[in-house]
């Protein structure tokens, strides 16, 4: 079983540096173009089925990738983006110092110290639900040997990979937030363990 985990295309809130979380924001035109170019780059991959976060930016990304193919697409709540609670929609700066913006500084730079706003979700909660999704896939023996598209979000994608690589929370972001339409590939080996095959590949480069 091979998973092609993709972050959704660009949205208006990505451009405006707003916390999207589980707010349902559509792709912008550039996001649709990135997804369409990614679809060209992935056209040689014979997908057997696909999962998507139910948020429309992930759904549309998956639909663009799979356009013209007869591939079943399942909406999966466990791969939704992390919830920011009452901070969703707030503008942020990833490079803000800890004193001026402690919650956002910790979110990107010290995730082990991140405390979510009211109604928000911790990194631990995000990793548990995405890990549960991966564990369930292992039980689907009928999907062994299949190629599966997984359309999700930046933090949710990193959480899936943290489960694969057993990454501690303090190293959650690795090389940073994945670019829009970046694809990471993981595979279930014969020992029933997920292994990372490729990280943050941009199929739309040179297209």
């Amino acid at each position: 079983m091979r998973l092609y985990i993709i972050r959704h295309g660009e949205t208006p809130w990505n451009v405006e540096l707003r916390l999207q979380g589980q707010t349902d924001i559509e792709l912008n035109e550039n996001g649709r173009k990135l997804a369409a170019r990614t679809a060209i780059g992935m056209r040689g991959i014979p997908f057997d089925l696909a999962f998507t976060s139910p948020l429309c930016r992930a759904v549309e990304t998956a639909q663009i990738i799979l356009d013209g193919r007869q591939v079943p697409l399942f909406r999966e709540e466990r791969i939704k983006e992390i919830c920011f609670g009452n901070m969703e929609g707030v503008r942020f700066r990833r490079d803000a110092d800890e004193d001026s913006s402690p919650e956002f500084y910790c979110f990107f730079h010290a995730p082990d110290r991140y405390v979510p706003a009211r109604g928000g979700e911790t990194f631990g909660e995000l990793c548990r639900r995405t890990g549960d999704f991966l564990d369930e896939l292992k039980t689907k023996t009928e999907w062994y040997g299949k190629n599966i598209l997984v359309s999700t979000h930046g933090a949710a994608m990193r959480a899936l990979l943290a489960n694969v690589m057993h990454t501690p929370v303090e190293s959650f972001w690795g090389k940073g937030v994945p670019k829009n339409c970046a694809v990471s590939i993981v595979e279930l080996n014969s020992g029933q363990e997920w292994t990372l095959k490729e990280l943050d590949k941009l199929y739309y480069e040179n297209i």
Side-chain angles (χ1 to χ4, degrees):
M1 187 187 303
R2 179 170 279 214
L3 308 182
Y4 292 79
I5 305 170
I6 186 170
R7 184 189 177 198
H8 61 78
E10 187 182 80
T11 73
W13 280 20
N14 288 149
V15 176
E16 297 169 7
L17 295 180
R18 294 186 186 276
L19 294 171
Q20 290 183 110
Q22 296 183 1
T23 304
D24 209 4
I25 305 300
E26 294 183 349
L27 299 180
N28 61 19
E29 283 309 305
N30 186 53
R32 295 183 181 101
K33 288 177 183 177
L34 285 178
R37 289 167 60 196
T38 301
I40 294 171
M42 302 184 83
R43 64 186 170 221
I45 301 169
F47 289 114
D48 298 290
L49 67 153
F51 289 93
T52 181
S53 156
L55 299 175
C56 64
R57 58 192 184 270
V59 173
E60 187 175 6
T61 299
Q63 289 172 335
I64 292 170
I65 299 295
L66 299 173
D67 185 47
R69 308 193 196 202
Q70 298 301 311
V71 175
L73 177 61
F74 303 100
R75 285 165 171 77
E76 173 53 66
E77 290 282 338
R78 290 171 292 183
I79 58 174
K80 286 173 76 169
E81 183 58 301
I82 192 170
C83 179
F84 290 108
N86 63 7
M87 297 302 290
E88 295 198 357
V90 171
R91 299 187 74 164
F92 68 92
R93 287 173 46 214
R94 287 189 189 133
D95 60 350
D97 62 63
E98 189 167 6
D99 291 333
S100 65
S101 184
E103 57 278 284
F104 300 145
Y105 178 88
C106 288
F107 183 77
F108 291 111
H109 301 286
D112 55 316
R113 294 194 280 120
Y114 172 68
V115 178
R118 181 168 53 84
E121 197 173 16
T122 67
F123 281 106
E125 289 168 331
L126 174 64
C127 287
R128 280 191 290 277
R129 63 175 166 84
T130 53
D132 184 65
F133 168 70
L134 290 173
D135 286 343
E136 184 176 335
L137 287 183
K138 286 184 180 181
T139 70
K140 303 295 186 180
T141 56
E142 67 273 23
W143 294 342
Y144 285 11
K146 305 294 187 183
N147 291 317
I148 302 175
L149 180 70
V150 178
S151 184
T152 185
H153 309 265
M157 182 175 181
R158 284 292 182 257
L160 287 162
L161 297 182
N163 280 289
V164 167
M165 298 184 287
H166 309 290
T167 306
V169 174
E170 57 266 27
S171 302
F172 180 87
W173 290 108
K175 294 183 178 180
V177 180
K179 293 183 179 181
N180 293 109
C181 287
V183 178
S184 289
I185 304 169
V186 302
E187 193 169 86
L188 189 64
N189 64 28
S190 58
Q192 289 291 287
E193 292 294 328
W194 294 107
T195 58
L196 179 67
K197 294 298 183 181
E198 193 142 19
L199 179 67
D200 296 344
K201 180 172 180 175
L202 300 177
Y203 281 89
Y204 56 78
E205 284 189 327
N206 304 316
I207 292 177

